Amino acid sequence: MKSMFLCALAAVALPGLALPGSAFADDDDAVCTKEPKSAWMKPEEAASKLQEAGYSDVRTVKVAGTCYEIYAFTTKHERAEVYMNPVSAEIVRAEIDD
């Protein structure tokens, strides 16, 4: 009975653990948009949009999969790696280092 419960628990929990990281398992596999690159804003525009969102000192904007991967700092001077939709400027993910 106990093993059936553990199997059922694993069947429910394990797929959920895989989902959050699957979209960003590798930076080049990141999915932010399905639009062609001709529809993307320029990297300078993405940097400006990120500054409007409260980030400062944008260092690098590069393409990672279908996202812009942007390195900048937060207002608390923490390093940030931000993944942005290059069409809508939506921040898809932000990793903050202390």
Side-chain angles (χ1 to χ4, degrees):
M1 185 68 116
K2 185 177 179 180
S3 63
M4 285 178 54
F5 175 74
L6 291 177
C7 288
L9 181 62
V12 172
L14 291 178
L17 293 175
L19 289 175
S22 64
F24 293 98
D26 180 2
D27 293 346
D28 292 336
D29 293 334
V31 178
C32 291
T33 184
K34 293 181 180 181
E35 295 293 326
K37 287 190 178 181
S38 61
W40 291 19
M41 67 181 77
K42 294 180 181 177
E44 300 81 23
E45 293 174 280
S48 178
K49 295 284 187 183
L50 193 64
Q51 287 175 330
E52 290 173 16
Y55 291 85
S56 64
D57 197 18
V58 174
R59 298 287 175 105
T60 306
V61 178
K62 68 179 190 174
V63 175
T66 59
C67 301
Y68 275 142
E69 180 179 358
I70 306 172
Y71 295 91
F73 285 86
T74 67
T75 55
K76 296 179 182 178
H77 305 290
E78 299 163 316
R79 288 186 298 180
E81 182 178 350
V82 179
Y83 289 84
M84 177 186 280
N85 180 314
V87 177
S88 69
E90 173 190 3
I91 295 174
V92 176
R93 181 179 78 175
E95 295 177 2
I96 310 296
D97 292 336
D98 296 333

